[in-house]
């Protein structure tokens, strides 16, 4: 991307330079639009479930920025050799998620390709003063994570036929869960920074937040919710390729304590992962109290924000007093 011409405008509130996936464009003093898109190849066998996951993943950046999705368009590639009924199921799964999000599915485009791919282009709205970005964490904040991690490891195990039906359902449900529910209470709280956990993994997205905010983020592995079996499989070396690109790209700026599997779990690329929210401790208490009654996924306070030190991100095995 850095070889592309630069686009600048005072109406562009969030663009390419902050490593957020979505762009925010100010229309007037009251309204800004958020644009984002995402699509990928199937990660589960069931086409309807795949459609749900791909749509939840594409909608996620709107929620991470504090916005509300309003319209969505399908992005599809599909081969001639597959039963068209499969495509119908994928699109149904996606459409049901868009409906659950309260947005409108208004069209899309399909291209013939050897491999099926599906996702959405989504437009959302937000008040220009209420945009949450991933570069404003403040010293003294704590960090809340709203979904367990380890989906990349489990998807790798799934491809190797090592997951039973119960585990497949569990990991699919987590990936298909909209971040809408985690984002809902944020507008009523003081929130400094927010991002969604996707391809860079928890550590990678924390790194982007720490770098952008000019702080150090300290996380405690024993406070992070990790999916059942993910530890075991990581110890066996069932680690997706994306983990190693994350490690080689970012691990120099980090200090990760403990055995290698800890590093592989915190760098595990997530599909439709949860929100990572940086906010003052008292606000986090209110947030957790809300989540106890309203969130279907496991959540926890996983760390805190400190003055900038040598490393941007520190992962300790166990929680310190804080
Ligand atoms: Co994205
Ligand atoms: Co994102």
């Amino acid at each position: 991307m850095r070889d592309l011409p630069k686009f600048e405008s005072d109406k562009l509130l969030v663009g390419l330079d902050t490593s957020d996936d979505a762009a925010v464009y100010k229309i007037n003093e009251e309204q800004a639009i958020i644009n984002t898109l995402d699509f990928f190849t199937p990660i589960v066998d069931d086409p309807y479930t795949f459609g749900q996951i791909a749509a939840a993943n594409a909608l996620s950046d709107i929620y991470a920025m504090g916005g509300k999705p309003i319209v969505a368009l399908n992005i599809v590639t599909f081969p001639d050799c597959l039963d068209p009924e499969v495509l119908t199921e994928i699109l149904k799964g996606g459409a049901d998620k868009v409906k659950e999000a309260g947005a409108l599915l208004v069209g899309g485009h399909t291209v013939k390709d050897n491999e099926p791919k599906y996702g959405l282009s989504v437009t959302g709205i937000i008040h220009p003063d209420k945009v949450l970005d991933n570069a404003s964490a403040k010293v003294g904040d704590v960090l809340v994570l709203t979904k367990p991690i380890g989906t990349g490891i489990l998807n790798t195990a799934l491809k190797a036929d090592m997951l039973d039906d119960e585990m497949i359902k569990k990991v699919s449900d987590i990936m298909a869960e909209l971040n809408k529910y985690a984002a809902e209470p944020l507008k009523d709280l003081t929130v400094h920074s927010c991002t969604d956990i996707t391809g860079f993994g928890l550590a990678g997205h924390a790194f982007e937040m720490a770098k952008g905010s000019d702080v150090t983020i300290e996380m405690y592995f024993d406070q992070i919710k990790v999916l059942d079996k993910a530890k075991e499989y990581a110890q066996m070396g069932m680690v997706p390729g994306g983990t190693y690109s994350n490690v080689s790209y970012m691990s120099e700026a980090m200090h990760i304590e403990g055995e290698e599997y800890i590093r592989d779990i915190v760098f595990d690329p997530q599909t439709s992962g949860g929100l990572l929210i940086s906010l003052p401790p008292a606000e986090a208490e209110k947030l957790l109290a809300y989540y106890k009654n309203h969130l279907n996924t496991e959540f926890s306070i996983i760390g805190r924000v400190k003055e900038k030190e040598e490393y941007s991100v520190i992962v300790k095995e166990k929680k310190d007093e804080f």
Side-chain angles (χ1 to χ4, degrees), residues 90-273:
I90 293 173
L91 297 180
K92 235 192 245 173
D96 281 348
K97 276 291 151 185
V98 173
K99 190 151 233 187
E100 183 185 337
L104 306 173
L105 191 66
V106 293
H109 191 70
T110 306
V111 172
K112 211 187 286 178
D113 192 17
N114 294 335
E115 222 178 354
K117 298 182 190 78
Y118 174 65
L120 298 172
S121 162
V122 189
T123 302
I125 45 167
I126 188 162
H127 191 286
D129 301 337
K130 297 273 162 70
V131 180
L132 293 174
D133 64 32
N134 66 350
S136 309
K138 295 208 164 41
V139 174
D141 281 357
V142 292
L143 294 158
V144 174
L145 179 66
T146 68
K147 283 186 186 183
I149 59 171
T151 59
I153 294 163
L154 290 194
N155 289 336
T156 307
L158 198 160
K159 282 197 194 101
D161 257 332
M162 288 174 69
L163 290 196
D164 60 27
D165 289 350
E166 195 187 321
M167 280 305 294
I168 294 174
K169 170 140 177 39
K170 192 173 174 199
V171 66
S172 298
D173 285 350
I174 287 166
M175 292 187 290
E177 183 77 3
L178 289 177
N179 279 331
K180 173 186 179 177
Y181 307 103
E184 180 67 32
L186 301 184
K187 60 180 187 317
D188 303 318
L189 297 168
T190 302
V191 174
H192 290 143
S193 207
C194 181
T195 191
D196 58 338
I197 307 302
T198 51
F200 291 157
L202 172 62
H205 289 279
F207 169 70
E208 297 286 354
M209 188 182 275
K211 212 176 51 165
S213 310
D214 207 28
V215 295
T216 286
I217 285 178
E218 188 170 83
M219 300 193 287
Y220 310 100
F221 189 69
D222 68 339
Q223 302 299 308
I224 298 168
K225 306 286 181 193
V226 179
L227 279 160
D228 276 354
K229 298 271 188 190
K231 262 179 220 177
E232 201 178 302
Y233 289 139
Q235 279 165 325
M236 286 165 57
M238 302 242 11
V239 174
T243 304
Y244 298 111
S245 351
N246 287 343
V247 168
S248 68
Y249 174 52
M250 289 172 288
S251 66
E252 294 233 312
M254 301 193 188
H255 178 70
I256 300 173
E257 284 182 356
E259 285 176 63
E260 198 155 280
Y261 79 90
I262 293 182
R263 181 199 75 183
D264 292 343
I265 288 172
V266 295
F267 271 116
D268 184 46
Q270 300 301 285
T271 300
S272 189

Side-chain angles (χ1 to χ4, degrees), residues 21 36-38 57 61 196 198:
D21 307 310
T36 184
L37 79 83
D38 238 320
N57 182 70
D61 280 321
D196 58 338
T198 51

